Amino acid sequence: MPNWYGEFDSTPANIVADLKARILNSTNWANISGGSGNVMSATTVDGAQMVVDLADAGATSRQIQMGIYRTYTAGAGTDKLTRYLCWHTITGSTADLLHATLSVGQDHLFFYIEGPRGGEPNADDATWGSARQCFFIGRLVPYFTGEPNPVVVSLANNVSLSSQSQPLVYVSRNRANTSSWVPARMGTLTIPNAQTNAPWFSANRIAAGDSNTYLWPYVVIEEAAGLRGRLAKAFFAGLWAPGSAIGTPQDFPPQVYQRLVYNAENYIIVLPHRCTTTTFQSRSAFGWADNSSTGEPGMASPAIAVPTQ
Amino acid sequence: MTSFTYMKVFTGQNGTSPQTLNLNPIPPNALALIAMGFPSVGPSVTGIAVATAGATGTFIRLNSMNGGGRTGELWLGYNFVGYPSSFVVTWSGGGSCQINETYLIADADLTVAPNVNAATPTAGTSTTLNSGSVTPVLGDLLIAFGIWASATGSSARVSTGNIFAPSTLNEHNANVTNVSMLAGPANVAVASSLQWTIPSVAWLGMALSLTFAAPPAPVPAFVYKGRDTAIADAGTVP
């Protein structure tokens, strides 16, 4: 099948193999390193190559290290970007229980990995569990002609063992087609807010005007060239803030796990982040939703819609 | 297999019938667990109703127990439409009630009632309150519910089988009745129970597993484009 979505448990010792097996559930992806190699690749409808080496370095008890390449042929990659995904603030064990969710298709790869939950062995916090960080690579739909099509965007943690994901995304080629992996930011429709402690809330995405559910696009804005386009296969579905104040302003929690059909393709709404303490924030370019101050750390996250079968 | 995610544990409240609960708006993909404890044998919850204008939802009694001068009831709310945030609980038999509320979100069809598998409630007076054991189906939601005749909370909780997630602990008290509830997903189909450590007082406990229907078919969605004249978005809605 082209699109595949699933939730599964793993361990640090098995996570690379488990991710690989799930990615290959999509008929658009292949193991281009062959055999026991871990270099996974697909070509977008625009002809861009997405390449992810799941084991740029061996997985540890705390993280995986990935190599992202703009192109990859004959066993060698070009223009490498190194990214990490970390689930522990403690050392933990390679036998720890990990909880993962993965969505994959011709134009994207998304997954998150969460460390042991509350009550499970080696959880960062016995009550609130461990961190959840996400990785995404996918097609960018350009807004202008003359783009050096195709381009792809990726985002994840750019620092080894870091507790915070980076707010930037990286576009595989700049608009002038002279540089690779140029930094960009993502914008979407949400509450205008530049105040640290302002109440933040979600808007109702069900329009009474036509009874339809609306998602917002993630618009990619390159730092040098400005507006470039939008993500093809991930959409903003609101902010998840269970610890927020009751009543004013009114909050409309996203319908997490809801299945939606958009452009004849099925989507599911997921929460890509989770953190357990103030040192492990719920941040990525998908959104910053820092831990609640009301005694429920780590439960805040942006909600995003990604493809499912 | 159904997945469950923590949403919100409320601080609970106490009062006489009817009691209005003003809580966070609850989305359609969430379920509400309402645990109640009475300091006497005899009161019976007659219903929980949505009080938010234009919103609806369904509440059912999952199980009840009484003994040792206490009554406990556990209710489930599901099939929420219109983000309700206000609910009214009514009961017969008078007296005050300690009400604890917890929201969870589920990857399931919450428009229909789940199958309920409940262990026979247990009673005792020792310092370890046991919920009794229930064997879930893979993907069930497990719930452990206990009340005891003291305002003192539990000092420790130990799961057997599956883990009743500590982040879902909802424990509050009033009228010398402590009400405690935890939930968690059934990742393995093995007998599961929870043991609380409490003062040596009369107590009641029970465990349940709920089997929910598979997620419903996807519903249409549209992407609102901030730049709907661009070539890339031509032909999309609106």
Side-chain angles (χ1 to χ4, degrees):
Chain A
M1 65 184 74
N3 283 341
W4 186 86
Y5 166 90
E7 302 151 10
F8 58 97
D9 289 344
S10 184
T11 64
N14 296 329
I15 187 65
V16 168
D18 286 343
L19 288 170
K20 188 165 75 171
R22 269 72 179 184
I23 291 170
L24 293 176
N25 283 335
S26 168
T27 51
N28 295 113
W29 283 75
N31 177 1
I32 59 174
S33 49
S36 59
N38 300 294
V39 182
M40 317 302 289
S41 178
T43 302
T44 71
V45 295
D46 291 332
Q49 192 176 11
M50 296 183 290
V51 185
V52 181
D53 182 354
L54 294 168
D56 185 52
T60 70
S61 61
R62 296 180 60 184
Q63 72 174 7
I64 59 172
Q65 177 176 325
M66 294 169 283
I68 320 299
Y69 297 92
R70 187 169 63 84
T71 61
Y72 195 97
T73 55
T78 301
D79 293 343
K80 181 183 178 183
L81 198 63
T82 304
R83 286 293 180 270
Y84 308 85
L85 201 152
C86 179
W87 51 79
H88 257 323
T89 57
I90 63 173
T91 300
S93 158
T94 56
D96 284 350
L97 190 55
L98 303 180
H99 308 280
T101 286
L102 185 144
S103 168
V104 61
Q106 180 174 6
D107 287 341
H108 81 289
L109 168 62
F110 164 84
F111 59 85
Y112 68 67
I113 302 172
E114 177 183 344
R117 291 175 176 158
E120 295 173 349
N122 287 335
D124 283 7
D125 183 288
T127 298
W128 300 104
S130 309
R132 174 192 298 177
Q133 292 187 341
C134 68
F135 170 77
F136 179 89
I137 184 168
R139 172 175 159 245
L140 185 149
V141 182
Y143 278 154
F144 304 101
T145 57
E147 283 279 344
N149 278 342
V151 292
V152 294
V153 178
S154 71
L155 72 161
N157 198 337
N158 69 323
V159 180
S160 176
L161 297 178
S162 171
S163 60
Q164 297 186 7
S165 295
Q166 207 177 24
L168 298 173
V169 296
Y170 289 82
V171 184
S172 63
R173 290 295 274 178
N174 64 343
R175 178 167 168 79
N177 202 12
T178 54
S179 301
S180 296
W181 300 121
V182 292
R185 297 177 187 274
M186 293 208 299
T188 190
L189 287 173
T190 186
I191 311 302
N193 175 16
Q195 184 179 342
T196 305
N197 295 317
W200 52 283
F201 56 98
S202 278
N204 187 352
R205 283 156 303 281
I206 302 174
D210 60 7
S211 300
N212 284 322
T213 295
Y214 282 85
L215 301 170
W216 309 154
Y218 276 111
V219 176
V220 178
I221 307 155
E222 186 191 318
E223 293 202 336
L227 193 65
R228 294 288 300 273
R230 64 170 173 84
L231 296 187
K233 299 295 181 183
F235 299 102
F236 180 64
L239 288 165
W240 180 254
S244 62
I246 297 169
T248 305
Q250 193 72 298
D251 192 17
F252 294 89
Q255 297 181 43
V256 180
Y257 295 135
Q258 184 185 29
R259 265 81 169 174
L260 300 164
V261 180
Y262 172 62
N263 269 359
E265 199 168 21
N266 292 339
Y267 283 77
I268 185 170
I269 296 176
V270 298
L271 302 175
H273 303 163
R274 182 171 178 166
C275 56
T276 55
T277 66
T278 54
T279 60
F280 226 117
Q281 300 288 19
S282 173
R283 296 175 178 177
S284 76
F286 283 126
W288 288 39
D290 287 355
N291 60 296
S292 164
S293 60
T294 57
E296 297 172 4
M299 300 307 159
S301 173
I304 65 171
V306 292
T308 182
Q309 56 270 51
Chain B
M1 176 174 168
T2 306
S3 292
F4 300 93
T5 293
Y6 170 92
M7 180 177 172
K8 177 75 179 174
V9 170
F10 294 93
T11 53
Q13 65 187 70
N14 172 259
T16 57
S17 180
Q19 270 292 300
T20 299
L21 315 177
N22 290 312
L23 310 170
N24 286 65
I26 184 168
N29 278 38
L31 55 87
L33 293 170
I34 312 288
M36 287 159 282
F38 298 89
S40 62
V41 174
S44 177
V45 178
T46 52
I48 303 177
V50 172
T52 302
T56 58
T58 305
F59 283 88
I60 58 172
R61 179 190 285 106
L62 293 175
N63 209 348
S64 63
M65 55 189 178
N66 62 69
R70 297 289 183 280
T71 298
E73 292 209 15
L74 185 62
W75 284 62
L76 172 75
Y78 62 97
N79 195 23
F80 294 110
V81 178
Y83 286 92
S85 59
S86 182
F87 309 91
V88 176
V89 184
T90 55
W91 58 89
S92 62
S96 291
C97 178
Q98 170 63 39
I99 307 173
N100 294 358
E101 310 89 27
T102 299
Y103 290 173
L104 297 172
I105 50 176
D107 186 11
D109 185 354
L110 297 184
T111 63
V112 296
N115 290 324
V116 181
N117 174 25
T120 302
T122 58
T125 57
S126 74
T127 56
T128 53
L129 189 169
N130 199 301
S131 67
S133 178
V134 65
T135 301
V137 175
L138 194 64
D140 275 4
L141 177 66
L142 285 160
I143 307 166
F145 172 40
I147 62 173
W148 55 95
S150 168
T152 303
S154 60
S155 59
R157 294 149 298 279
V158 178
S159 296
T160 298
N162 286 281
I163 294 169
F164 294 80
S167 60
T168 65
L169 173 65
N170 193 342
E171 188 168 291
H172 301 282
N173 65 76
N175 311 311
V176 200
T177 300
N178 215 306
V179 177
S180 183
M181 174 177 61
L182 290 85
N187 295 316
V188 289
V190 299
S192 302
S193 62
L194 187 79
Q195 181 177 287
W196 291 263
T197 301
I198 61 170
S200 181
V201 293
W203 51 256
L204 297 164
M206 65 178 173
L208 305 92
S209 67
L210 310 182
T211 307
F212 289 89
V219 299
F222 299 92
V223 173
Y224 183 85
K225 303 292 173 52
R227 184 181 161 80
D228 58 2
T229 58
I231 293 172
D233 292 330
T236 57
V237 177

